[in-house]
Amino acid sequence: MRLWRLEEAERLVNSELAQGLAETWASCADEKCLADSPYDPALVGVGRWWLSPFTIGNRKLGEIPFYSLPPVATCPGATPFCIRWCYAVYEIANWRAHVREAASYLLSLRDDFPDIVQRFLRRLPHRTVRLHVSGDFYSVEYLEKWAEVARREPSRVFYTYTKSFGLVRRVEAPRNLVIHLSADPHNYLEAVETWRGLRRGLVTYVYTPGAERRDFEVLRYILENTEARILLFLNHVQHAPRLRISAAHMWRRLKEALGPLAGRVVLDPEEFAGAPQCSLCQLCYRAYI
């Protein structure tokens, strides 16, 4: 595992750079204020692809703004599967992205976080926002802050995938804060229990080439014990087994292993077929628009 990524996250959270960046975001109300700060535009968030802590899309999402935190350190529900396979731990992003995650965490600790976030959201035309390309809900208080933002912005949809099952069971999220449960071989029993309590959202699962028997057994258990649909991702981090898997081949294997239950499994189109991006697929949020 790239331990340096986790160690770096802790170091950056305590850095003067991240602290100063968070203070700048908290005090600025528009792009001019951000541009007049002493920070690089791509760091402070000014330009075509940023606005303060929000990054405007990536290769997978398309043009959907997202808000991210440092990986694992902000993930109380992290499992051994996360530690081994989390793409946010293994990705090699530029240093600015890592600093921005640390500053976003510091910003989220503030009592006025919903006010700050809403101030910048109102300068974005996008109606869909992704939470946590990296990171997760790390406390009830933090989750409640996003629930408050969603209540204030009823015309927007905020969606995310989480392993913080214990936290989401304790917060009454508004309908436009769409929370999908992220299951893996270590937490799927708790994911099933949590979905039964919430009865909303998808259950996601990461298929790992070479672990087909285990993964199909887990998928069957989830499908037999919930009415949820499963969104299946492909384990594609750098050290995962590099097997070429077509969507057609995967569908055949799912039908052979799961029978009629396979009808409730959806393959992530971008990861299995290369298209479309999330902004076009909209599976994870279109029912709430």
Side-chain angles (χ1 to χ4, degrees):
M1 185 184 71
R2 292 181 183 269
L3 288 174
W4 66 267
R5 180 73 165 95
L6 306 184
E7 294 167 353
E8 179 195 54
E10 182 177 355
R11 177 180 62 81
L12 288 175
V13 163
N14 294 311
S15 70
E16 291 185 6
L17 179 58
Q19 293 169 11
L21 187 59
E23 287 298 323
T24 298
W25 288 340
S27 61
C28 279
D30 55 34
E31 293 89 335
K32 184 180 185 306
C33 176
L34 294 171
D36 289 341
S37 75
Y39 301 106
D40 179 89
L43 182 63
V44 76
V46 178
R48 172 68 177 84
W49 300 109
W50 309 275
L51 180 60
S52 60
F54 291 98
T55 301
I56 315 300
N58 59 25
R59 179 186 62 81
K60 177 176 173 60
L61 291 177
E63 196 166 317
I64 295 177
F66 64 86
Y67 189 97
S68 279
L69 300 174
V72 180
T74 60
C75 303
T79 69
F81 186 88
C82 304
I83 302 302
R84 184 178 183 189
W85 297 114
C86 177
Y87 65 84
V89 172
Y90 285 88
E91 71 176 354
I92 302 178
N94 64 65
W95 67 272
R96 294 180 183 84
H98 299 168
V99 175
R100 286 169 57 80
E101 290 170 358
S104 295
Y105 168 72
L106 294 173
L107 189 70
S108 73
L109 296 174
R110 296 177 59 104
D111 291 339
D112 59 350
F113 177 72
D115 300 326
I116 298 167
V117 166
Q118 188 178 29
R119 189 165 70 224
F120 286 112
L121 280 175
R122 289 183 172 176
R123 305 188 72 82
L124 289 172
H126 310 80
R127 310 318 298 173
T128 303
V129 178
R130 166 74 188 275
L131 305 184
H132 308 147
V133 169
S134 172
D136 203 343
F137 297 118
Y138 59 82
S139 70
V140 167
E141 293 75 18
Y142 173 59
L143 174 51
E144 287 178 336
K145 289 173 183 177
W146 276 114
E148 175 61 22
V149 171
R151 292 187 192 99
R152 295 182 187 182
E153 296 286 331
S155 64
R156 298 183 201 265
V157 174
F158 303 82
Y159 78 101
T160 189
Y161 314 98
T162 186
K163 292 182 186 289
S164 299
F165 303 150
L167 300 183
V168 299
R169 289 197 295 262
R170 296 168 59 188
V171 174
E172 188 68 31
R175 187 175 185 275
N176 63 324
L177 176 53
V178 185
I179 299 175
H180 305 298
L181 305 181
S182 179
D184 68 36
H186 298 273
N187 73 355
Y188 68 94
L189 296 176
E190 187 181 2
V192 165
E193 179 185 353
T194 302
W195 192 93
R196 284 173 167 176
L198 299 176
R199 305 194 72 81
R200 58 177 292 192
L202 304 167
V203 174
T204 70
Y205 191 85
V206 177
Y207 170 76
T208 302
E212 186 174 272
R213 180 175 179 179
R214 177 203 67 190
D215 287 346
F216 285 168
E217 289 177 355
V218 172
L219 293 175
R220 175 175 288 279
Y221 182 89
I222 296 171
L223 292 166
E224 288 180 342
N225 289 278
T226 71
E227 293 80 51
R229 298 173 73 189
I230 293 179
L231 175 60
L232 197 64
F233 295 118
L234 178 63
N235 193 339
H236 61 278
V237 299
Q238 290 180 344
H239 67 311
R242 309 306 290 177
L243 300 179
R244 185 180 298 276
I245 301 176
S246 70
H249 171 76
M250 194 66 198
W251 269 121
R252 286 195 299 271
R253 294 295 299 118
L254 285 169
K255 291 176 181 177
E256 291 170 0
L258 303 176
L261 292 173
R264 285 170 33 220
V265 179
V266 180
L267 302 184
D268 181 275
E270 196 278 331
E271 294 190 4
F272 281 94
Q277 295 173 311
C278 300
S279 57
L280 297 176
C281 171
Q282 301 184 2
L283 170 68
C284 296
Y285 58 86
R286 66 182 173 219
Y288 304 89
I289 296 177

